[in-house]
Amino acid sequence: MSMKIDAVLSSALQDHEAGWSMGSFGALAEFHQDDGETTLVDAPDALTRATARGAIRIDREALSECHPVAYEQLSKKRERWGQGLALCLPEDDASMAQRSAVTSLGPDNDAIREEDRGAQLFDMGLGLKQCDFLIRTRDEVLIDTLNANAGRSIFEHGNPSMGAILKTHPHRIALTPLGRVEVFQKIGGPDTGGVSPPGPHTHVLPKLMAAGKTHAANITVPHGLIPCAYLHPGNPLTDGLGHSRPYNAALADGFAEHYNAYAPNELRDIKKSVAEAVAAGQDAAGLETPGTRHGRITVRVTLRQLTQKAALQNDEALLSSIERWQRKFDSSAAPVDEEPDEQAEHGRQHAISQE
């Protein structure tokens, strides 16, 4: 029997390799922590953690309706893959306010850190299905600006609200039916050298938001479910900044447990069939190309994973066999999924932006 999802999440909150995000396609708030980073709120049993840079709280009660979905993705780097755990709710339970204009919400009495309670909350009015994207501030000038422009789209020509936000760096909050992520660090831009600071950060990308999607198409989510939060377990080949590192078998095995527990049955079956056929020395011609996009991605990711395991074991015969399979299913000529996706190469370099 697999671990209950609340136990999985509680354990991950204590793991500096794991990252988290809440939001929608094109607008995310992310929480990360470094190894040994001081915690200001450390309550894994309450699914809550805060540092000086950001915070996360997952609503334990809401998890009773949660459907965890493990997924794997292709990377543009041929040896890599992406992975994650989407925490989904049924569509009817996933809806938030979907405000389309700047809106004052009064004091934030639910802030994760006590010191932030009472500061003023404003909805940025991004109109997201499953996330209210908020800012929190005590800056009187910013509060006056936002109140003066309440009811207007933040992207409306001549609205000074976004400029004021970028100048004053208020806290940003992604609020979903499953909880909240709070980001305290500065917004990436001129004040940060043009990039987001490492660690917790936000990004708002109107060009992606305009698609009206709740999540990227290359995240395998069953029909009728909407992701309201993501757990990004440590990747075996890349660190939290996306830099390459030697293959970490422990991280690979850890995610394999999540995949076996929470991935869609048809994709688990494909992964198992490929692994068994390769191990048995069967020819790639014996496996029919899956008829779905996600099925084809699963074959390719599985072969990349088997390559890393065989290389770790110095098994040249197995590597040669896998290479023959890759010539059919994952050759250099095979297309990489080019759909814009802020999740696939999950890192810490995004910024809140009007780009």
Side-chain angles (χ1 to χ4, degrees):
M1 180 180 296
S2 63
M3 294 176 65
K4 291 185 177 180
I5 188 60
D6 56 349
V8 171
L9 302 181
S10 178
S11 177
L13 277 174
Q14 302 168 73
D15 179 6
H16 74 275
E17 290 276 6
W20 305 79
S21 61
M22 294 187 188
S24 189
F25 188 63
L28 284 176
E30 303 189 18
F31 176 76
H32 307 272
Q33 55 190 324
D34 290 341
D35 189 13
E37 184 173 4
T38 299
T39 54
L40 305 179
V41 177
D42 185 13
D45 289 343
L47 302 181
T48 304
R49 178 158 280 208
T51 69
R53 302 185 296 168
I56 182 171
R57 181 171 63 219
I58 299 169
D59 185 341
R60 184 182 288 275
E61 291 187 7
L63 286 177
S64 62
E65 301 299 322
C66 176
H67 298 261
V69 180
Y71 61 89
E72 294 177 328
Q73 302 161 294
L74 294 173
S75 167
K76 292 181 180 180
K77 294 186 180 294
R78 291 282 168 178
E79 74 280 6
R80 296 184 185 179
W81 61 89
Q83 59 188 33
L85 192 64
L87 306 178
C88 304
L89 290 174
E91 188 170 354
D92 290 344
D93 298 327
S95 297
M96 293 297 286
Q98 302 175 63
R99 302 179 184 93
S100 59
V102 175
T103 306
S104 174
L105 301 178
D108 185 6
N109 296 320
D110 295 322
I112 293 173
R113 301 186 306 183
E114 186 174 355
E115 66 200 71
D116 297 319
R117 293 170 194 161
Q120 294 298 302
L121 273 180
F122 290 85
D123 192 323
M124 291 179 64
L126 302 186
L128 307 175
K129 167 72 174 180
Q130 77 270 43
C131 175
D132 294 343
F133 216 89
L134 317 175
I135 64 125
R136 181 176 63 209
T137 184
R138 298 184 192 275
D139 186 296
E140 293 297 337
V141 174
L142 178 57
I143 290 171
D144 289 345
T145 298
L146 295 176
N147 279 328
N149 291 279
R152 299 176 67 186
S153 167
I154 201 164
F155 302 118
E156 180 183 321
H157 180 71
N159 188 345
S161 298
M162 181 64 85
I165 290 171
L166 294 171
K167 180 180 178 179
T168 55
H169 303 281
H171 294 176
R172 286 86 69 206
I173 301 168
L175 186 67
T176 81
L178 286 180
R180 59 164 63 191
V181 168
E182 304 182 0
V183 176
F184 312 142
Q185 297 204 101
K186 286 186 175 182
I187 299 166
D191 295 340
T192 61
V195 297
S196 291
H201 64 271
T202 50
H203 64 117
V204 173
L205 304 172
K207 289 181 180 179
L208 295 187
M209 289 167 48
K213 299 179 180 180
T214 58
H215 60 281
N218 53 14
I219 296 177
T220 314
V221 175
H223 180 72
L225 297 179
I226 294 179
C228 293
Y230 296 90
L231 164 61
H232 308 279
N235 189 288
L237 290 175
T238 58
D239 63 18
L241 292 172
H243 299 148
S244 295
R245 62 179 172 188
Y247 177 67
N248 186 317
L251 289 178
D253 291 344
F255 184 74
E257 291 185 14
H258 297 328
Y259 192 88
N260 289 333
Y262 301 120
N265 291 336
E266 64 273 16
L267 300 185
R268 290 207 311 266
D269 290 344
I270 290 173
K271 181 178 286 289
K272 181 180 178 182
S273 295
V274 171
E276 290 178 347
V278 170
Q282 296 178 16
D283 190 273
L287 181 71
E288 184 177 348
T289 300
T292 67
R293 176 189 190 191
H294 294 299
R296 294 188 293 272
I297 289 173
T298 299
V299 174
R300 297 173 68 180
V301 169
T302 301
L303 292 173
R304 297 181 188 193
Q305 294 168 340
L306 293 174
T307 296
Q308 294 297 326
K309 292 179 180 179
L312 188 66
Q313 299 165 1
N314 294 314
D315 192 331
E316 295 296 336
L318 184 55
L319 283 169
S320 295
S321 176
I322 296 170
E323 185 178 355
R324 290 192 293 273
W325 278 73
Q326 288 183 310
R327 282 198 291 269
K328 176 179 178 180
F329 292 106
D330 194 28
S331 71
S332 59
V336 172
D337 190 340
E338 297 291 353
E339 178 175 355
D341 178 14
E342 67 272 33
Q343 300 284 357
E345 295 290 348
H346 182 71
R348 304 180 182 183
Q349 55 270 56
H350 300 293
I352 187 169
S353 166
Q354 295 188 71
E355 295 296 316

